[in-house]
């Protein structure tokens, strides 16, 4: 099957070889306090920071999932409250999860096709954590260019960003936020079971101020270990090994970003030329990595079934658009040849 599912999505084909190499190396059976693992972790973090152009002062941690990042942030970084800015299902889930832990989460939902602008009259409490979904996987939107910078210019609050379907696919404005996180089963082209969390010096200061150490995944506990290139608990060693290999393999993020954006431009033009309706009408907020197509419920079911018969997996709709849309992953691991196959199918199945 050729998969365009937006997560778990296609893994790089080289991963098959890397798994064999990991087994042969013996590293996946090594102790996570051993020198071999510590060297692996140190090198993987260095390669990731290099390829994704992460600022030198930002620290990188590996955890199990983006969902665990919600928990870590709620436990270890909240003082007064968190404000969640979102327009889709995953941003809403983050808010709801945080509220269950802290009872101090509020929301600032906005419309699907709304160009999000910084409210100049908005007043934030001094310790309020601002939470933003950079790329909403559920509906194929992104926040406008410059939005995080506008927040940064107005307030000194910590900013946390869910970049799950953007990190490793496009250039991210790291210094315009303090906590970034993403699962790896999307733009990283890796199997599920690992997530990347990237934090600024300012976020570390906040964690020290909060001083929370009650949980196995308390941020300070994680950090204490990662500073020694260890982990607080037995990690996904195979996932970290594969991350290191893929980071050595992929081009610098500038090159990946250029390819992603060009492919997105081509996809949107192609779909409109062939009579397909896009979920996101506002070009300023269309995602570069997840493309959402709308149609009647029966038509969506027909297209997905027809694609499956031809060896193509389309992404299901999600949330409010579950039954009336399908999604196309525009992730780096997907080849030009696979894109051409899907386009040929969509031309054949184009609306009359």
């Amino acid at each position: 099957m050729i998969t365009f599912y937006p997560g778990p999505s296609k893994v790089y084909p080289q991963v098959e070889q890397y798994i064999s190499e990991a087994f042969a190396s013996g590293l996946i059976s090594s102790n996570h306090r051993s020198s071999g693992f510590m060297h692996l972790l140190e090198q993987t973090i260095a390669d990731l920071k290099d390829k994704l152009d992460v600022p030198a002062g930002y620290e990188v941690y590996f955890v199990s999932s983006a969902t665990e990042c919600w928990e870590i942030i709620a436990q270890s970084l909240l003082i007064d409250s968190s404000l969640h800015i979102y327009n889709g299902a995953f941003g809403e889930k983050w808010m709801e999860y945080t509220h269950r832990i802290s009872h101090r989460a509020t929301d600032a939902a906005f419309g699907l096709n709304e160009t999000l602008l910084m409210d100049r009259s908005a007043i934030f409490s001094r310790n309020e954590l601002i939470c933003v979904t950079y790329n909403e996987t559920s509906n194929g939107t992104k926040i406008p260019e410059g939005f995080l910078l506008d927040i940064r210019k107005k307030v000194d609050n910590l900013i946390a960003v869910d970049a799950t379907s953007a990190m490793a696919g496009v250039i991210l404005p790291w210094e315009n936020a303090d906590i970034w996180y993403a699962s790896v089963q999307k733009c990283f082209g890796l199997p599920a079971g690992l997530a990347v969390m990237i934090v600024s010096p300012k976020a570390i200061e906040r964690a020290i101020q909060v001083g929370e150490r009650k949980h196995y995944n308390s941020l300070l506990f994680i950090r204490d270990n990662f500073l020694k290139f260890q982990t607080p608990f037995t990690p996904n060693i195979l996932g970290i090994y594969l991350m290191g290999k893929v980071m050595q393999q992929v081009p610098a993020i500038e090159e990946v970003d250029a390819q992603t954006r060009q492919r997105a431009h081509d996809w949107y033009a192609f779909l409109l030329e062939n009579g397909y309706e896009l979920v996101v009408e506002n070009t300023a907020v269309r995602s570069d990595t997840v493309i959402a197509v709308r149609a009647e419920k029966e038509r969506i079911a027909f297209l997905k079934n027809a694609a499956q018969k031809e060896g193509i997996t389309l992404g299901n709709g999600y949330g409010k658009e579950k039954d009336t849309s399908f999604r196309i992953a525009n992730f780096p691991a997907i080849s030009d040849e696979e894109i051409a196959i899907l386009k040929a199918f969509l031309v054949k199945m184009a609306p009359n």
Side-chain angles (χ1 to χ4, degrees):
M1 296 297 295
I2 301 172
T3 182
F4 287 87
Y5 213 96
S9 192
K10 183 191 175 184
V11 300
Y12 283 107
Q14 296 91 333
V15 167
E16 181 179 9
Q17 175 188 337
Y18 299 153
I19 290 172
S20 296
E21 292 174 1
F23 182 84
S25 74
L27 272 172
I28 56 175
S29 299
S30 63
N31 187 294
H32 65 288
R33 311 280 182 215
S34 67
S35 60
F37 173 77
M38 291 164 64
H39 175 73
L40 168 67
L41 185 59
E42 180 177 13
Q43 189 61 54
T44 301
I45 290 171
D47 290 338
L48 185 148
K49 293 186 75 170
D50 176 58
K51 288 296 176 71
L52 301 189
D53 198 24
V54 178
Y58 281 52
E59 295 182 7
V60 174
Y61 316 130
F62 296 122
V63 296
S64 67
S65 64
T67 304
E68 186 183 8
C69 293
W70 298 348
E71 187 166 277
I72 293 167
I73 292 166
Q75 290 169 175
S76 298
L77 292 168
L78 285 190
I79 294 179
D80 291 344
S81 62
S82 58
L83 174 67
H84 296 255
I85 302 170
Y86 64 85
N87 73 347
F90 288 104
E92 185 174 17
K93 284 175 183 282
W94 182 9
M95 184 274 294
E96 291 172 346
Y97 194 92
T98 303
H99 185 70
R100 286 199 296 271
I101 292 175
S102 70
H103 305 290
R104 291 171 289 164
T106 58
D107 74 294
F110 61 99
L112 176 69
N113 282 292
E114 186 176 344
T115 302
L116 191 60
L117 299 173
M118 182 64 196
D119 184 350
R120 300 297 170 181
S121 65
I123 298 174
F124 301 90
S125 69
R126 181 170 174 269
N127 292 316
E128 190 168 34
L129 177 65
I130 301 172
C131 301
V132 179
T133 302
Y134 192 87
N135 196 86
E136 180 52 71
T137 314
S138 71
N139 59 29
T141 59
K142 66 178 180 180
I143 59 170
E145 301 289 339
F147 178 70
L148 290 175
L149 180 59
D150 284 347
I151 299 177
R152 192 59 116 192
K153 286 179 177 178
K154 178 176 171 58
V155 299
D156 192 41
N157 297 55
L158 278 189
I159 302 170
V161 180
D162 180 343
T164 291
S165 53
M167 191 183 294
V170 294
I171 293 170
L172 296 175
W174 301 111
E175 294 180 332
N176 293 340
D178 303 289
I179 306 105
W180 296 83
Y181 65 84
S183 298
V184 302
Q185 68 270 19
K186 300 182 189 290
C187 289
F188 281 96
L190 287 164
L194 191 72
V196 182
M197 191 172 191
I198 300 175
V199 301
S200 71
K202 186 176 174 182
I204 293 164
E205 290 176 8
R206 167 65 67 84
I208 293 170
Q209 179 186 0
V210 173
E212 190 275 313
R213 290 181 175 272
K214 294 183 293 185
H215 302 88
Y216 85 99
N217 58 356
S218 297
L219 185 58
L220 292 178
F221 190 31
I222 292 171
R223 182 173 188 255
D224 288 346
N225 283 270
F226 269 79
L227 289 177
K228 299 179 288 188
F229 299 108
Q230 296 179 0
T231 56
F233 46 85
T234 305
N236 182 350
I237 297 176
L238 177 59
I240 294 169
Y241 182 95
L242 297 177
M243 171 67 79
K245 286 292 187 178
V246 165
M247 285 298 101
Q248 291 170 12
Q249 163 199 319
V250 297
I253 192 61
E254 291 79 9
E255 184 176 336
V256 176
D257 176 275
Q259 174 184 268
T260 300
R261 293 180 189 275
Q262 183 60 54
R263 283 178 167 182
H265 177 273
D266 294 346
W267 263 122
Y268 286 122
F270 166 85
L271 290 164
L272 291 171
E273 287 168 5
N274 285 278
Y276 289 91
E277 180 185 356
L278 300 173
V279 170
V280 185
E281 299 169 1
N282 183 352
T283 58
V285 297
R286 283 179 186 158
S287 169
D288 296 301
T289 55
V290 179
I291 294 143
V293 182
R294 176 183 285 136
E296 296 294 327
K297 180 178 179 179
E298 295 74 15
R299 168 82 173 153
I300 293 294
F302 171 76
L303 284 171
K304 290 193 296 184
N305 288 335
Q308 198 78 13
K309 290 176 182 177
E310 297 204 17
I312 301 167
T313 299
L314 296 173
N316 294 333
Y318 198 94
K320 295 177 181 178
E321 303 286 339
K322 179 180 179 180
D323 295 324
T324 56
S325 70
F326 67 84
R327 294 172 296 160
I328 300 170
N330 183 36
F331 298 158
I334 297 168
S335 69
D336 290 337
E337 292 76 16
E338 289 166 330
I339 292 171
I341 290 169
L342 177 54
K343 284 184 175 179
F345 167 79
L346 292 172
V347 167
K348 183 173 65 174
M349 306 300 293
N352 294 330

